[in-house]
Amino acid sequence: MTHMKHRVGLLVPAGDSVMEPDLWRGLPCRLTLHVTRMYLESATIAGEKKMLTEELEPAARRIAQVGPELVIFGCTSAAAILGLAGEADIVRRVETLTDCRCLTVMGAAIEEISRHSPERLLLVTPYIDEINERLQATFSAAGFPVCGIAGMGLASESAIGAIKPRDIRRFVVDAARGALVAPDCVFVSCTTFRALEAAQAIRRDLAIPVVTSNQSVLKGIERHFASLMNPLSA
């Protein structure tokens, strides 16, 4: 018996070498992934705003041609720098052009973190300070009690993607243990960061929930298709 394949579209910054493999590894075999890349000059506020202005809508038009049932906007920080209203505008623009639901990484992360009801949320990122400030403000506006943020200070997609999971683990664990207020949940941001590979070890080290960008998206995809197929498997 042949099972119908369900198509997931992914709009991702051109230099992201991590999100696509993470999703392929985590998606059930009845889902297929179709990717369109958006040029991102640098992981800065100026660079990400330029991507949203010049690249988002052409990319959405291209991904629409494969007829996806769900489109992922695959950049945590680009949505976060615009705040919740800006994130909602990204969703509106993509949904208008693709005629299907759009899920942002930011939206997926908010939903996944909410399941843990944190009282002291620590944000850990590879980003520079100007991005971190916007990210923290957006999570706070979403109602999370953010107790701190730690960033690596990187503005290059290739540099972020080159960081090994063991180094991410060390950075996150050191940030959590060195925080002025001990967190009860950690969110590790960035789709280009190999944080999903390190998450299980970080959870063991800290004994608290650890949520990552790409993990959040996989959970969001699963929830979206749960009503279409039960169980979500081959």
Side-chain angles (χ1 to χ4, degrees):
M1 180 178 177
T2 301
H3 295 285
M4 183 177 69
K5 295 285 187 178
H6 297 266
R7 300 185 189 105
V8 177
L10 174 63
L11 307 178
V12 70
D16 189 327
S17 59
V18 176
M19 188 175 195
E20 186 177 355
D22 274 357
L23 295 192
W24 269 120
R25 282 192 296 267
L27 285 177
C29 62
R30 283 177 66 180
L31 301 184
T32 58
L33 187 67
H34 306 269
V35 183
T36 296
R37 295 184 176 274
M38 303 174 291
Y39 179 72
L40 175 62
E41 188 173 306
S42 62
T44 61
I45 289 177
E48 294 188 355
K49 284 185 174 180
K50 184 176 182 182
M51 180 185 75
L52 291 168
T53 300
E54 299 179 1
E55 298 282 328
L56 176 62
E57 293 188 4
R61 290 189 183 96
R62 288 193 292 271
I63 205 68
Q65 292 191 316
V66 303
E69 296 170 60
L70 175 68
V71 173
I72 308 299
F73 176 74
C75 184
T76 324
S77 54
I81 64 170
L82 301 179
L84 296 177
E87 187 261 351
D89 184 62
I90 291 172
V91 170
R92 180 192 58 77
R93 291 162 66 190
V94 173
E95 290 184 345
T96 298
L97 291 167
T98 61
D99 195 30
C100 71
R101 186 190 168 203
C102 172
L103 176 67
T104 69
V105 184
M106 191 72 202
I110 287 172
E111 185 168 359
E112 192 62 22
I113 295 166
S114 295
R115 292 172 178 269
H116 300 289
S117 302
E119 296 182 0
R120 300 175 304 279
L121 176 65
L122 176 67
L123 307 176
V124 182
T125 86
Y127 310 138
I128 59 177
D129 288 345
E130 67 175 15
I131 298 286
N132 285 336
E133 290 167 5
R134 297 287 186 93
L135 187 79
Q136 182 169 354
T138 300
F139 273 103
S140 295
F144 292 113
V146 178
C147 67
I149 187 165
M152 287 185 167
L154 301 175
S156 162
E157 291 276 293
S158 59
I160 293 170
I163 302 169
K164 293 179 172 58
R166 66 171 180 267
D167 296 323
I168 296 172
R169 174 186 180 181
R170 185 179 305 114
F171 185 78
V172 175
V173 171
D174 287 349
R177 290 177 175 168
L180 293 176
V181 177
D184 63 357
C185 182
V186 175
F187 174 62
V188 188
S189 183
C190 191
T191 62
T192 319
F193 218 21
R194 294 176 64 187
L196 182 57
E197 296 171 71
Q200 186 174 350
I202 298 168
R203 291 186 196 102
R204 287 198 305 266
D205 291 340
L206 298 177
I208 59 175
V210 176
V211 177
T212 78
S213 287
N214 292 347
Q215 169 204 344
S216 298
V217 170
L218 284 166
K219 293 289 189 181
I221 293 170
E222 181 179 351
R223 285 190 290 269
H224 176 76
F225 285 100
S227 61
L228 301 179
M229 37 183 151
N230 187 20
L232 188 57
S233 61

